[in-house]
């Protein structure tokens, strides 16, 4: 074992050290070594990099680094935690490499499998959290409960991934190989890290190095992979193929199955050809509303489908359990946009749909339910789709309206479902405050909370300066409470962008 020093090719005189024990950690195309203090890694490419590749790396570590993290310090601090972004390019003995900050300790298994420590200390590659095989009680590969989080954890993880893709696309970049192999996630801290940034695609400047990872390659890329790279009909990874991969990731993290890997049979043929048809030219959403030919998970899970229930049971856990906003986007991604890339939802649309869905959550009444939370389904018979337990409380639902013009209020297509101790925030009370990565700490503080008190639902005003009860015609000062009843209207803010909440009580 020895400590070696390497030189930056961007900053003259800048050096880095790494520990060479003769056994580097091997990725797909790089050999990875750790710095002595484990604050960064030195990753060498096994293949010689051409001029274009080195120029791409230098641009990522300088121009794009500056744009993403320095010019806008507020969002930059968020994105620095989200991306494993190369900070320098080095050369040593004819080998080209990059310097990448070390991942947070969140992204390493503390326990791993429930029955052994084989995964302990390994990276939390997203694939461990995207399949029913690693979470059902009867599976030998089950992860320990301390690693899994609950269903709600994955909504925030997906929000972070969507934000990461949104920011890349806003800069005119594409990841090109977005998959669960290139996203680390931690459901416990509800965080994600997007890795392998060094392969970014810059249209008309730096083409993609790879076509992607199986399960996440867009159908049009697979269907045309036999064509020459110079053929105008050949489809290569770009922003729109990222959007397919993002939709697949979100579906898998929320439903623990693949949206296309069903039971369609194309006749006797080689496995690779069958795979190309299943995920490419003949790709079909497993939950397509009118074509049921792909609704079978035997190819993936074998004959014993019940072992992986409820995730392999499309009657118990249809994609509609993710709520109306995500259902609409899954339709867009896997029905309208599956073979028509321009129809795919943007990363920003996924981000906002996930956030709005978070406002529809209810805690399961069964304390031993593994998922803990579910999304309100807008029916009078509200029960948890995972364990079947009937929800035991009444449910206040706040539908938001905004002022379209003086004295004309229009529905916002946004609502808040209330449970005991649910909180109200500025982004609920005022439509001009957008819930995204630019929120300040002050904007994240709740403005009030809901409580089931003495057999009644009440809202306690903590910070709203102009809250009023439109039904009763009276103001509700800070520090006071108002009873939440069916049909009541609350003006949450008199400021520009202030909303009215119209209340209905469900599950009576």
């Amino acid at each position: 074992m020895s400590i070696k020093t390497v030189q930056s090719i961007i900053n003259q005189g800048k050096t880095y050290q790494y520990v060479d024990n003769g056994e580097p950690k091997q990725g797909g195309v790089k050999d990875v070594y750790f710095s002595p203090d484990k604050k960064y890694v030195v990753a060498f490419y096994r293949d010689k990099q051409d001029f274009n590749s080195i120029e791409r790396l230098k641009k990522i570590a300088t121009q794009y680094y500056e744009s993403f993290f320095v010019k806008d310090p507020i969002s930059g601090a968020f994105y620095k935690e989200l991306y494993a972004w190369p900070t320098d390019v080095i050369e040593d003995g004819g080998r080209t490499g990059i310097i990448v900050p070390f991942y947070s300790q969140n992204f390493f298994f503390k326990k791993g499998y429930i029955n052994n420590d084989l995964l302990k200390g390994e990276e939390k590659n997203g694939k461990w959290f995207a399949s029913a095989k690693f979470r059902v009680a009867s599976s030998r590969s089950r992860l320990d409960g301390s690693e899994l989080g609950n269903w709600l954890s994955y909504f925030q993880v997906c929000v972070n991934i969507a934000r990461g893709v949104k920011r890349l696309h806003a800069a005119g970049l594409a990841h090109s190989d977005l998959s669960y192999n290139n996203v680390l996630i931690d459901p416990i801290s509800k965080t994600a890290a997007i890795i392998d940034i060094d392969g970014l695609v810059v249209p008309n400047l730096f083409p993609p190095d790879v076509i992607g990872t199986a399960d996440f390659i867009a159908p049009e890329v697979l269907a045309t992979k036999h064509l020459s790279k110079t053929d105008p009909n050949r489809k290569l990874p770009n922003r729109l193929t990222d959007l397919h991969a993002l939709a697949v990731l979100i579906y898998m993290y929320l439903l623990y199955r693949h949206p296309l890997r069903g039971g369609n049979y194309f006749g006797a043929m080689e496995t690779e050809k069958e795979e190309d048809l299943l995920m490419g030219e003949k790709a079909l959403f497993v939950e397509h509303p009118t074509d049921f030919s792909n609704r079978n998970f035997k190819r993936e899970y074998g004959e014993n489908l019940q072992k992986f229930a409820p995730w392999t049971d499309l009657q118990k856990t249809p994609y509609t359990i993710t709520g109306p906003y995500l259902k609409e986007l899954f339709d867009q991604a896997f029905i309208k946009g599956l073979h028509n890339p321009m129809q795919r939802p943007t990363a920003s649309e996924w981000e906002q749909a996930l956030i709005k869905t978070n406002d529809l959550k209810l805690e399961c009444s069964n304390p031993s339910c593994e998922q803990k939370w579910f999304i309100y389904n807008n029916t009078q018979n509200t029960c948890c789709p995972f364990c079947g337990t009937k929800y035991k409380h009444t449910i206040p639902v706040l539908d938001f309206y905004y002022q379209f013009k003086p004295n004309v209020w229009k529905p916002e297509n946004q609502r808040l479902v209330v449970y005991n101790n649910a909180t109200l925030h500025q982004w609920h009370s005022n439509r001009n405050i957008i819930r995204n990565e630019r929120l300040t700490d002050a904007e994240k503080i709740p403005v009030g909370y809901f409580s089931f008190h003495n057999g009644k639902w009440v809202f306690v005003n903590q910070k709203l300066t102009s809250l009023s009860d439109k039904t009763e015609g009276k103001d509700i000062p800070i520090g006071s409470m108002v009873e939440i009843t069916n049909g009541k209207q609350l003006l949450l803010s008199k400021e520009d962008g202030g909303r009215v909440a119209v209340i209905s009580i469900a599950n009576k």
Side-chain angles (χ1 to χ4, degrees):
M1 185 181 293
S2 61
I3 293 179
K4 295 186 175 177
T5 302
V6 287
Q7 181 93 30
S8 167
I9 61 172
I10 296 175
N11 305 294
Q12 289 301 313
K14 178 93 174 164
T15 60
Y16 299 90
Q17 292 186 319
Y18 68 92
V19 178
D20 185 2
N21 63 357
E23 294 182 2
K25 190 173 171 57
Q26 290 202 313
V29 296
K30 297 186 286 284
D31 292 336
V32 179
Y33 300 88
F34 299 101
S35 67
D37 59 6
K38 289 207 168 175
K39 287 189 175 173
Y40 58 86
V41 299
V42 180
F44 287 107
Y45 293 90
R46 287 193 286 278
D47 293 339
K48 187 166 179 60
Q49 300 297 292
D50 60 19
F51 174 80
N52 222 30
S53 296
I54 293 172
E55 286 303 299
R56 181 206 331 239
L57 294 173
K58 285 159 78 171
K59 199 163 187 171
I60 288 169
T62 56
Q63 178 185 328
Y64 288 118
Y65 183 91
E66 173 94 7
S67 167
F68 273 64
F69 309 114
V70 180
K71 286 185 177 172
D72 184 352
I74 295 175
S75 65
F78 170 82
Y79 287 119
K80 210 166 221 181
E81 298 293 316
L82 181 61
Y83 300 120
W85 197 282
T87 57
D88 210 341
V89 185
I90 49 102
E91 268 185 354
D92 183 51
R95 294 188 301 169
T96 303
I98 52 175
I99 305 297
V100 184
F102 203 53
Y103 316 134
S104 160
Q105 284 304 305
N106 293 347
F107 300 115
F108 295 90
F109 282 109
K110 293 178 178 63
K111 167 68 176 161
Y113 292 128
I114 195 167
N115 296 319
N116 60 60
D117 290 340
L118 291 176
L119 277 182
K120 189 174 180 179
E122 293 293 316
E123 291 174 5
K124 289 184 179 178
N125 181 308
K127 72 181 177 187
W128 299 112
F129 304 95
S131 169
K133 290 177 180 177
F134 303 114
R135 61 175 52 248
V136 298
S138 56
S139 172
R140 285 185 302 173
S141 305
R142 179 183 165 85
L143 293 177
D144 192 77
S146 64
E147 305 280 15
L148 288 173
N150 58 51
W151 201 45
L152 211 55
S153 312
Y154 295 87
F155 282 85
Q156 187 56 51
V157 164
C158 290
V159 166
N160 289 332
I161 298 168
R163 284 177 177 164
V165 176
K166 175 186 75 172
R167 182 65 183 89
L168 290 175
H169 291 179
L173 304 170
H175 187 283
S176 81
D177 191 14
L178 194 66
S179 77
Y180 50 36
N181 285 335
N182 291 329
V183 178
L184 307 180
I185 77 166
D186 176 34
I188 305 306
S189 60
K190 303 175 186 173
T191 50
I194 298 174
I195 64 176
D196 279 2
I197 296 289
D198 48 301
L200 288 177
V201 172
V202 185
N204 304 319
L205 191 59
F206 300 123
D209 292 329
V210 294
I211 66 166
T213 299
D215 274 351
F216 298 91
I217 303 171
E220 67 272 17
V221 174
L222 273 181
T224 61
K225 72 173 188 177
H226 62 284
L227 300 174
S228 159
K229 274 194 175 183
T230 56
D231 190 316
N233 293 314
R234 172 79 187 266
K235 305 299 181 191
L236 293 169
N238 56 37
R239 185 182 65 83
L240 297 175
T241 65
D242 275 0
L243 294 179
H244 171 76
L246 175 62
V248 172
L249 273 175
I250 292 170
Y251 184 93
M252 292 188 79
Y253 285 141
L254 298 183
L255 296 163
Y256 315 128
R257 57 182 181 247
H258 194 283
L260 307 179
R261 194 171 284 290
N264 248 347
Y265 180 66
F266 310 108
M269 62 180 67
E270 292 180 5
T271 304
E272 185 181 346
K273 174 69 174 166
E274 183 179 64
E275 176 79 2
D276 287 350
L277 288 175
L278 187 71
M279 303 301 232
E281 183 187 345
K282 303 283 189 184
L284 178 72
F285 185 30
V286 293
E287 300 192 68
H288 195 285
T290 57
D291 187 340
F292 290 12
S293 60
N294 206 27
R295 285 184 172 230
N296 181 328
F297 296 108
K298 287 181 183 175
R299 179 191 264 113
E300 182 77 353
Y301 293 101
E303 293 293 329
N304 192 5
L305 291 179
Q306 194 55 37
K307 178 179 176 182
F308 301 103
W311 312 110
T312 50
D313 185 341
L314 296 180
Q315 299 299 315
K316 274 194 173 178
T317 57
Y319 72 118
T320 51
I321 65 169
T322 62
Y325 309 122
L326 290 174
K327 188 263 184 196
E328 186 180 333
L329 293 196
F330 284 136
D331 285 348
Q332 236 181 290
F334 300 132
I335 301 173
K336 296 176 194 163
L338 189 59
H339 297 285
N340 187 357
M342 293 296 288
Q343 295 284 325
R344 290 171 189 159
T346 65
S348 180
E349 287 176 305
W350 282 113
E351 175 197 10
Q352 291 307 313
L354 286 158
I355 286 169
K356 285 166 71 174
T357 301
N358 187 65
D359 282 344
L360 307 182
K361 65 181 180 286
L362 287 170
E363 191 166 14
C364 181
S365 298
N366 173 8
S368 60
C369 177
E370 285 200 353
Q371 299 307 317
K372 304 293 184 209
W373 298 84
F374 64 94
I375 301 304
Y376 173 62
N377 62 3
N378 205 26
T379 69
Q380 285 301 329
N381 182 25
T382 302
C383 60
C384 173
F386 308 116
C387 69
T389 304
K390 183 166 170 47
Y391 191 69
K392 63 186 181 186
H393 303 290
T394 55
I395 305 167
V397 178
L398 278 65
D399 282 295
F400 296 120
Y401 289 72
Y402 71 99
Q403 189 160 263
F404 177 65
K405 56 187 180 185
N407 298 316
V408 177
W409 294 81
K410 286 196 168 185
E412 190 84 73
N413 188 28
Q414 188 171 342
R415 57 176 21 180
L416 179 65
V417 173
V418 171
Y419 53 92
N420 196 36
N421 293 327
T423 51
L424 190 82
H425 293 261
Q426 287 188 46
W427 57 79
H428 296 127
S429 64
N430 192 310
R431 73 193 308 253
N432 293 336
I433 295 175
I434 309 299
R435 188 178 174 188
N436 59 22
E437 69 279 6
R438 297 187 53 79
L439 279 178
T440 64
D441 287 341
E443 287 171 331
K444 294 176 186 175
I445 297 170
V447 295
Y449 67 91
F450 299 87
S451 180
F452 193 67
H453 181 68
N454 290 337
K456 296 177 180 177
W457 284 102
V458 296
F459 174 69
V460 180
N461 182 12
Q462 292 175 295
K463 287 185 173 292
L464 292 172
T465 55
S466 55
L467 176 66
S468 65
D469 183 336
K470 283 173 68 81
T471 308
E472 301 282 331
K474 61 182 183 185
D475 292 338
I476 302 147
I478 290 174
S480 65
M481 66 174 71
V482 57
E483 186 180 349
I484 301 297
T485 55
N486 200 51
K488 177 155 287 195
Q489 296 184 16
L490 298 177
L491 176 62
L492 301 175
S493 171
K494 291 176 182 170
E495 297 171 7
D496 182 42
R499 288 190 174 113
V500 163
V502 177
I503 297 159
S504 52
I505 308 292
N507 207 48
K508 293 177 184 174

